[in-house]
Amino acid sequence: MKLFHINSAGSALRALIGWPSLVIGVFFLAALGGSFIPANDNWREPDRGIPIFVETNGVHVSLIVPMSAAGEDLSDLIRPEHLADSNLYGTHAMIGWGHRRVYRNARTWGDVKAADIASAIIGTDETTLHIYHLIDPRPAPHRKRLLVTQAQFHSIMTSVRATFRLTADGRSTAYPAYSENNLFYDSVGHYSAYTTCNEWTGAVLRKAGVRMGIWTPMPGGVMRWFD
């Protein structure tokens, strides 16, 4: 039994346009719904805790964490000698994970390439961590501050550490990025339309017990949870 029949160039064109449009529409509706349905709905920001930040450039959402706080220290993985100028080593690291080529090619939506979009949708293990060194960051319209407990901070840092791809002797591998104060690092993880860069950030916060949408593939899905 035939499920459908294409009997003209017009119907073929409508099918060619219609089905991808339907899939895209369903994706965005699901992303919107996932970003509004909360996980950890009982979470409340503690009166005292460790300050972290979430920041967006309109494409990616990244976490900003202290290099060293509450018994956690990233200096074994994010090392001063990785930088051409070690004086740029930050008090904080702004950390994002994602599709290697999208991160390297796309600082804005206008930079995104069709081939990278196709790879991102299909899925790939070619991923990277992108890390900026920051000195005493402050809240801004694109950067939201929140407090987390020591246990939540430990969970966040554990998730971050687990995303580095290490060499046989336990070292991270860094590569030049956009400017002198930021680097790319080899990472683990499978990127896809489901597990996007923004969903990685949302998942790290969800796992730590912070209130967050149940699925956050788009930047607004993460940022909407913070004043």
Side-chain angles (χ1 to χ4, degrees):
M1 182 177 67
K2 294 182 179 180
L3 297 179
F4 60 87
H5 181 63
I6 296 175
N7 56 13
S8 70
S11 61
L13 181 61
R14 286 193 296 272
L16 184 64
I17 296 173
W19 284 108
S21 297
L22 177 62
V23 171
I24 292 169
V26 169
F27 173 84
F28 280 104
L29 283 174
L32 182 64
S35 72
F36 274 87
I37 300 171
N40 309 314
D41 196 29
N42 293 326
W43 177 80
R44 297 294 180 269
E45 187 173 354
D47 294 332
R48 298 179 63 185
I50 300 158
I52 66 171
F53 301 82
V54 289
E55 176 170 326
T56 183
N57 65 359
V59 178
H60 307 289
V61 176
S62 301
L63 286 170
I64 299 175
V65 298
M67 286 288 192
S68 180
E72 301 288 341
D73 193 332
L74 291 173
S75 62
D76 61 320
L77 297 177
I78 306 171
R79 301 185 63 82
E81 60 265 30
H82 292 162
L83 295 164
D85 181 356
S86 60
N87 291 320
L88 296 175
Y89 194 79
T91 60
H92 291 67
M94 183 169 75
I95 304 171
W97 170 91
H99 188 288
R100 184 185 303 166
R101 295 199 304 274
V102 171
Y103 251 120
R104 293 185 176 186
N105 297 336
R107 300 185 71 174
T108 69
W109 283 116
D111 298 326
V112 178
K113 297 181 179 180
D116 293 342
I117 293 175
S119 174
I121 292 172
I122 295 169
T124 180
D125 291 332
E126 294 183 12
T127 62
T128 190
L129 283 162
H130 184 212
I131 295 177
Y132 274 91
H133 288 262
L134 304 177
I135 306 295
D136 297 327
R138 295 290 185 266
H142 64 289
R143 178 188 296 158
K144 305 301 182 180
R145 181 180 184 269
L146 65 147
L147 297 177
V148 295
T149 65
Q150 185 167 338
Q152 290 163 349
F153 183 68
H154 172 72
S155 174
I156 290 167
M157 296 293 265
T158 298
S159 294
V160 167
R161 295 183 69 88
T163 310
F164 281 85
R165 184 184 297 276
L166 303 180
T167 60
D169 59 354
R171 294 179 177 271
S172 60
T173 304
Y175 304 92
Y178 303 137
S179 56
E180 291 184 344
N181 71 335
N182 62 106
L183 295 163
F184 292 116
Y185 284 81
D186 283 343
S187 71
V188 299
H190 183 79
Y191 187 98
S192 70
Y194 183 80
T195 53
T196 67
C197 54
N198 304 305
E199 168 57 14
W200 178 85
T201 301
V204 170
L205 293 170
R206 278 196 307 272
K207 185 177 180 180
V210 175
R211 186 172 63 249
M212 177 57 51
I214 61 171
W215 185 47
T216 56
M218 306 298 289
V222 178
M223 299 303 295
R224 68 170 304 274
W225 294 97
F226 306 105
D227 296 328

